Amino acid sequence: MTTEKYVQTPTLEIAYEESGPAYGQPVVLVHGFPHSPRSFDRVVPLLVHDGYRVLVPTLRGYGNTRFLKRDTPRSGQQAALGQDLVDFIEALQLPPVLTAGFDWGRRSCVVASILKPQLILGQVLIGGYDVQKIADASVPGLPEQESAMWHGYFFTTERGCQALISQREAYAEFMWRQWNPTQPFDVAEFAANATYFHSPDFVDVVLSSYRHRLGLAPGDPQLEQVEALLALQPQVSVPTSVLISGAEPAIRRGHDETARFFTGPFRYALLEGIGHNLPFEAPKALALELKRLGQQAELQACSNTA
């Protein structure tokens, strides 16, 4: 049975949903933009069925998650997303967790695994390594990559700001249709997600995310040291599985391009015909990968105690 709860971190009161037995291996699932915890509604039951304790936090700027102080920068930078996940795990005093995320959630997971690898038992990154190299923000990619990022450039403008204020659901719906080309648009699913876009901090956090990554907006001064570390694009030591959405209209990260960032156990899989919202389109594939990582961790623990 899923329950909504709240936990206070140094920066936020984070709303999250919890399902499954309290004694189960914890799994933290992190959503992206423009999405919400509803993205994992088909994944959670599959994990709970096998005894996992599943926690799905709501990102800063979404739903009922709130900043504790008015003067805290409403930053959406990568360091903030990763630190939020670290703070969430520590505030709940969880044992080492399994994590999975896509889009902003992927970024949150990979940054957390760099900052505090001891907290992460294993992770599934939907899309691969995603630490932004902001110093190279002015270097263009291939045309298809740039085209896929139209929304990011749009949100650096005042016109884009006004679009988020007045038409956030219309733009989010357009992105959903564009990024999930093989799936029919689900009106009810979108409506359930869209309620999370009406947080008082949504616009500021989204604008910050896209402007900061392009070097067009300052970050939170409290996170400068974290950003300095991320600027080095450090490798990741925790066991990682990368799932690639084959139908997403952007350049697919190949195995070799992705694997070089990981020094621990690593697995790569391309899911043809699957779009951006992989947890909703391929919940069994995600659940199986998380279970595989959990079983791998159990075997390693048994080996260490033998």
Side-chain angles (χ1 to χ4, degrees), residues 176-230:
W176 274 44
R177 292 180 183 274
Q178 183 181 46
W179 296 348
N180 302 280
T182 61
Q183 297 294 315
F185 181 73
D186 189 318
V187 174
E189 181 206 352
F190 177 77
N193 280 265
T195 62
Y196 289 79
F197 307 158
H198 294 277
S199 160
D201 302 308
F202 179 79
V203 172
D204 289 339
V205 171
V206 171
L207 294 178
S208 167
S209 174
Y210 289 100
R211 293 176 179 184
H212 182 270
R213 71 181 70 181
L214 292 173
L216 300 176
D220 185 337
Q222 299 297 319
L223 296 170
E224 286 183 359
Q225 289 188 341
V226 177
E227 284 293 347
L229 170 63
L230 298 178

Side-chain angles (χ1 to χ4, degrees), residues 10-292:
T11 305
L12 303 167
E13 182 176 66
I14 297 178
Y16 69 100
E17 296 174 1
E18 182 172 353
S19 307
Y23 56 81
Q25 165 62 52
V27 179
V28 181
L29 307 175
V30 194
H31 68 88
F33 168 85
H35 291 275
S36 78
R38 303 279 64 77
S39 292
F40 298 103
D41 282 352
R42 295 180 176 179
V43 180
V44 171
L46 301 175
L47 295 170
V48 170
H49 179 268
D50 284 349
Y52 288 89
R53 177 186 179 190
V54 186
L55 304 103
V56 189
T58 300
L59 290 178
R60 57 168 58 202
Y62 294 76
N64 292 323
T65 291
R66 294 289 185 268
F67 288 86
L68 299 179
K69 298 179 181 179
R70 291 184 179 181
D71 60 353
T72 300
R74 270 42 178 176
S75 176
Q77 69 192 100
Q78 57 183 354
L81 299 177
Q83 188 63 55
D84 286 349
L85 180 53
V86 168
D87 292 344
F88 176 77
I89 295 168
E90 292 184 332
L92 291 174
Q93 299 182 325
L94 298 173
V97 303
L98 296 170
T99 65
F102 72 107
D103 196 87
W104 289 20
R106 170 183 71 245
R107 196 167 304 123
S108 176
C109 291
V110 72
V111 171
S113 73
I114 291 168
L115 297 180
K116 290 288 184 74
Q118 67 272 25
L119 299 180
I120 313 298
L121 198 63
Q123 62 183 347
V124 180
L125 303 178
I126 300 169
Y129 187 87
D130 192 24
V131 176
Q132 297 155 349
K133 195 172 183 180
I134 297 172
D136 291 347
S138 62
V139 179
L142 295 171
E144 49 266 50
Q145 291 174 308
E146 299 298 331
S147 174
M149 270 297 295
W150 68 267
H151 61 291
Y153 305 130
F154 183 54
F155 294 149
T156 67
T157 68
E158 180 58 27
R159 191 180 182 96
C161 173
Q162 293 304 316
L164 279 176
I165 292 172
S166 63
Q167 301 182 64
R168 68 192 69 181
E169 290 190 21
Y171 277 89
E173 178 180 332
F174 180 82
M175 284 181 266
W176 274 44
R177 292 180 183 274
Q178 183 181 46
W179 296 348
N180 302 280
T182 61
Q183 297 294 315
F185 181 73
D186 189 318
V187 174
E189 181 206 352
F190 177 77
N193 280 265
T195 62
Y196 289 79
F197 307 158
H198 294 277
S199 160
D201 302 308
F202 179 79
V203 172
D204 289 339
V205 171
V206 171
L207 294 178
S208 167
S209 174
Y210 289 100
R211 293 176 179 184
H212 182 270
R213 71 181 70 181
L214 292 173
L216 300 176
D220 185 337
Q222 299 297 319
L223 296 170
E224 286 183 359
Q225 289 188 341
V226 177
E227 284 293 347
L229 170 63
L230 298 178
L232 303 174
Q233 292 208 302
Q235 292 180 307
V236 176
S237 61
V238 307
T240 300
S241 293
V242 167
L243 298 180
I244 300 294
S245 301
E248 189 169 0
I251 288 295
R252 300 190 297 206
R253 297 175 176 89
H255 177 279
D256 293 342
E257 180 186 3
T258 302
R260 64 190 178 92
F261 289 105
F262 300 95
T263 60
F266 176 78
R267 184 173 182 272
Y268 172 100
L270 172 64
L271 277 64
E272 294 286 5
I274 301 299
H276 183 73
N277 192 1
L278 185 147
F280 193 79
E281 294 185 33
K284 290 182 180 179
L286 177 54
L288 286 172
E289 203 57 41
L290 283 163
K291 293 174 189 178
R292 191 191 66 79

